[in-house]
Amino acid sequence: MARWVPSENHGPRQAILIVLHATEQDSVAESLDTLRSRNSGGRVSAHYLLGKDGDLYQLVDEERRAWHAGAGRWGTITDVNSASIGIELDNDGVAPFPPVQVAALLRLLDDLCERLDIPRTQVIGHADMAPTRKVDPSHLFPWRTLAEAGFGSWPSDARDEPPPGFDPLLALRLLGYATDDSPAAVRAFHRHFRGIDGGVGTLDAEDARILHALTRPRGEAPSL
Ligand SMILES: [Zn+2]
């Protein structure tokens, strides 16, 4: 319908976020089938599947939109599938993540962030962007190990008291969590930053210290 007048001023559409999942299934073989077939519950996929032994499978081209995130949001990102790379970790949802699998994940994250120019802080869990529906990759996922390698967000160990008037729920929102259902958002935060599963979903004083450390502007000196 239009006259084609090509411009050279363009580049590839790129992911700006990485979402980590646990398959919550029993084997790589089962997940390869789920991620490549027409499921009764609807078709799903991910860019990568990482086995417990560190074996890495790619199922979808990085420039294509895989169907891993579903409804939800992170910060201002409302169409997470369009904006992200999805990585499924072979994990039944209750077992810890073996060191060999975590080491392979760190290599993959390093490669993805380097090649695709994704900020290293932009690594989250499925439950972080869909707290009312999802719990993966579970409270056992080693977020601290990822942070020590430079991925995702993690508070410093030296945490001072937040100033008077500090609003922890607002900080949770600034971090990226949707707080429409605030108990669900708090439970997702607890799984990610405190390794706690379940609970009533209310913020305590330690949460406030963690949220203050996470959302303090970069370079700002700790208050006395
Ligand atoms: Zn998931």
Side-chain angles (χ1 to χ4, degrees), residues 70-195:
R73 64 180 198 269
W74 183 250
T76 56
I77 302 170
T78 53
D79 180 356
V80 177
N81 279 335
S82 288
S84 67
I85 297 290
I87 302 173
E88 288 279 359
L89 298 159
D90 173 31
N91 179 281
D92 64 6
V94 292
F97 295 79
V100 64
Q101 187 181 32
V102 176
L105 175 62
L106 292 178
R107 287 195 296 275
L108 175 60
L109 291 175
D110 188 56
D111 173 56
L112 289 172
C113 292
E114 184 70 26
R115 279 191 300 105
L116 304 181
D117 206 19
I118 299 172
R120 287 173 185 253
T121 52
Q122 291 282 84
V123 182
I124 63 166
H126 197 188
D128 295 317
M129 53 124 316
T132 59
R133 298 187 301 116
K134 298 292 177 180
V135 298
D136 66 311
S138 100
H139 67 293
L140 297 176
F141 185 77
W143 289 106
R144 176 190 272 272
T145 305
L146 257 67
E148 283 165 357
F151 300 105
S153 301
W154 198 255
S156 65
D157 284 329
R159 291 168 208 153
D160 49 334
E161 290 300 319
F166 177 75
D167 181 347
L169 205 57
L170 177 63
L172 197 63
R173 204 148 54 228
L174 283 174
L175 201 56
Y177 287 93
T179 56
D180 316 57
D181 181 337
S182 68
V186 170
R187 281 192 289 270
F189 171 80
H190 281 165
R191 263 182 233 110
H192 187 131
F193 290 97
R194 299 185 67 180

